[in-house]
Amino acid sequence: MAKKSLHSKRFINFGVVTVLAVYFLILVGGIVRSTGSGMGCPDWPKCFGSWVPPTDVSQLPEDYLEVYRQKRIEKNEKLAASLDKLGFDKLAATIFSHPSQYIETEFNVTKTWIEYLNRLVGVLIGVFIFLTVVFAWLYLKRDKTIFFLAFGSFLLVGFQGWLGSIVVSTNLLPVTVTVHMALALVIVAMLQYAVTRAQKQDLKGHLPHSPKLNSLLWVLALVTFGQILLGTQVREEVDVVSFAMNGAERESWIGKLGASFYIHRSFSIAVLALHIYVAYLLYKLKDAALTRLTNVMLVMVAIEIAIGIIMAYFAIPPVLQPLHLTFAALLFGVQFQLLIMYHYASREALKKPVAIHQPC
């Protein structure tokens, strides 16, 4: 029994480290986008055809721009053909005809190594999640859900790696970037659930169950998930404006953004109100753990709003772009953690029989 307890503790501790590592990868990905390094390596999984990227343009052939442009086009043609066979002909046409795939980025040693380090971190995360699956093996008989959550996250990381290659081959095609971000949030949510489920015995079922609060916690997490994806689309619009203006006149970029930005900004008011109301309901429970996590949630909401205001009125400072994304992802994680913890803390109330009063 002690041995099992030790194994459980190892899984929980390593699972927490893996979750934090995924959030770190999201931060690194934000840095890649804010520095314009997404195409620092024009191929995948190698970088300029090598496992260790070059440090000077002289190490590349003179026609490297055309070479890697043609490689991406050939890869997209194969992808489009496969999608067409599966019946996704419209999606295939979008990928193949999108003009961005023909734009080649000149070699920049700083951007190349930023993107390369991003890929190294991604590989490290893959190793972490694989070890999490190994440590979750002991739950295969005790609680299969924990094992399959860990294993499912590992499979998704593999798919995420393949999708990363598509992001590169399509030259950061907007829809692929958005799906890439969505999958990262799904992976971290699966890992959080697995780790918290392994600790469910510690989350004593001492709270009353409220279907209203449970539903609102789900709504809050899903709304934030949607806001993050909408924010990703806004970020893509910023990239388009930046490219069109050669990175100049940043103070005018906001005025050139489309409807996504205004929806994202205006909807944040309703999101703030929802956070405050859910926090009020959580505080009423007077549970120490939930109260601490609720405090963290409100602080993160305040930080997110402050960063958003500064970005909108102070020419989108590059240093704030990855922070905005990272805090949004962390906020989603805190909300999802509140949802899981409340579920286990109140589940015992659902099992209690309801007294039925018979008429005298």
Side-chain angles (χ1 to χ4, degrees):
M1 191 71 180
K3 190 175 180 180
K4 285 186 178 180
S5 178
L6 180 63
H7 287 174
S8 297
K9 191 173 182 179
R10 184 171 59 182
F11 167 75
I12 292 168
N13 291 339
F14 197 83
V16 170
V17 171
T18 302
V19 168
L20 294 176
V22 175
Y23 282 118
F24 177 70
L25 180 60
I26 291 174
L27 171 62
V28 174
I31 293 173
V32 169
R33 295 298 305 280
S34 66
T35 56
S37 304
M39 290 303 295
C41 295
D43 50 342
W44 192 97
K46 294 183 178 181
C47 186
F48 286 103
S50 175
W51 292 112
V52 178
T55 56
D56 191 86
V57 70
S58 62
Q59 297 173 255
L60 299 172
E62 292 185 4
D63 61 343
Y64 75 92
L65 291 175
E66 179 59 31
V67 168
Y68 289 105
R69 172 179 175 272
Q70 188 57 39
K71 284 184 178 181
R72 291 210 318 273
I73 292 175
E74 290 174 0
K75 183 170 184 175
N76 290 346
E77 286 177 341
K78 292 179 181 178
L79 174 63
S82 299
L83 290 172
D84 191 53
K85 290 179 181 178
L86 294 172
F88 299 104
D89 51 318
K90 291 184 179 179
L91 178 59
T94 300
I95 291 176
F96 184 62
S97 63
H98 201 278
S100 70
Q101 69 173 294
Y102 301 107
I103 301 173
E104 191 53 74
T105 305
E106 291 189 1
F107 174 78
N108 179 298
V109 64
T110 301
K111 293 182 178 181
T112 291
W113 277 86
I114 289 175
E115 168 59 14
Y116 181 66
L117 291 174
N118 174 50
R119 295 184 184 186
L120 289 181
V121 173
V123 171
L124 183 62
I125 300 305
V127 173
F128 277 15
I129 295 180
F130 173 74
L131 291 175
T132 302
V133 176
V134 173
F135 294 149
W137 181 261
L138 69 101
Y139 288 98
L140 196 54
K141 292 183 179 180
R142 294 163 51 189
D143 190 337
K144 291 183 179 180
T145 300
I146 293 176
F147 173 78
F148 285 113
L149 281 169
F151 184 66
S153 67
F154 178 69
L155 293 179
L156 281 181
V157 165
F159 180 75
Q160 189 77 315
W162 172 81
L163 184 60
S165 73
I166 302 303
V167 171
V168 172
S169 71
T170 58
N171 204 341
L172 312 180
L173 184 67
V175 65
T176 60
V177 175
T178 301
V179 174
H180 202 51
M181 184 67 228
L183 274 180
L185 295 176
V186 170
I187 289 169
V188 79
M190 290 173 67
L191 289 170
Q192 278 186 237
Y193 183 38
V195 172
T196 307
R197 187 180 176 93
Q199 305 174 76
K200 63 183 177 182
Q201 297 302 326
D202 299 328
L203 302 171
K204 299 175 182 178
H206 59 284
L207 295 178
H209 179 76
S210 167
K212 176 183 177 181
L213 178 55
N214 189 67
S215 298
L216 283 173
L217 285 169
W218 270 110
V219 170
L220 191 62
L222 291 175
V223 164
T224 300
F225 186 87
Q227 272 286 78
I228 292 173
L229 297 190
L230 187 58
T232 302
Q233 293 181 335
V234 174
R235 182 68 182 83
E236 290 157 4
E237 289 184 9
V238 171
D239 289 343
V240 172
V241 174
S242 173
F243 180 80
M245 303 190 70
N246 293 318
E249 300 179 31
R250 294 184 71 96
E251 66 279 357
S252 67
W253 291 4
I254 291 292
K256 300 180 184 299
L257 299 179
S260 296
F261 166 72
Y262 296 100
I263 295 173
H264 182 65
R265 184 181 66 177
S266 301
F267 192 53
S268 62
I269 299 173
V271 173
L272 173 61
L274 181 59
H275 274 87
I276 293 173
Y277 181 59
V278 171
Y280 165 73
L281 295 178
L282 288 168
Y283 284 143
K284 285 178 66 177
L285 296 174
K286 299 185 181 204
D287 179 84
L290 291 180
T291 295
R292 285 194 298 270
L293 210 51
T294 302
N295 291 339
V296 173
M297 178 182 74
L298 291 180
V299 169
M300 286 189 172
V301 170
I303 291 173
E304 269 294 276
I305 292 175
I307 292 176
I309 291 173
I310 294 172
M311 290 175 65
Y313 292 98
F314 293 92
I316 319 178
V319 69
L320 293 184
Q321 290 177 298
L323 292 179
H324 194 52
L325 173 63
T326 304
F327 273 105
L330 286 170
L331 176 60
F332 169 77
V334 169
Q335 293 165 349
F336 193 70
Q337 190 67 22
L338 280 167
L339 173 62
I340 304 168
M341 289 176 64
Y342 177 71
H343 167 72
Y344 285 117
S346 64
R347 64 183 299 180
E348 294 299 322
L350 292 173
K351 298 178 182 179
K352 294 179 179 178
V354 178
I356 301 177
H357 298 280
Q358 299 292 339
C360 297

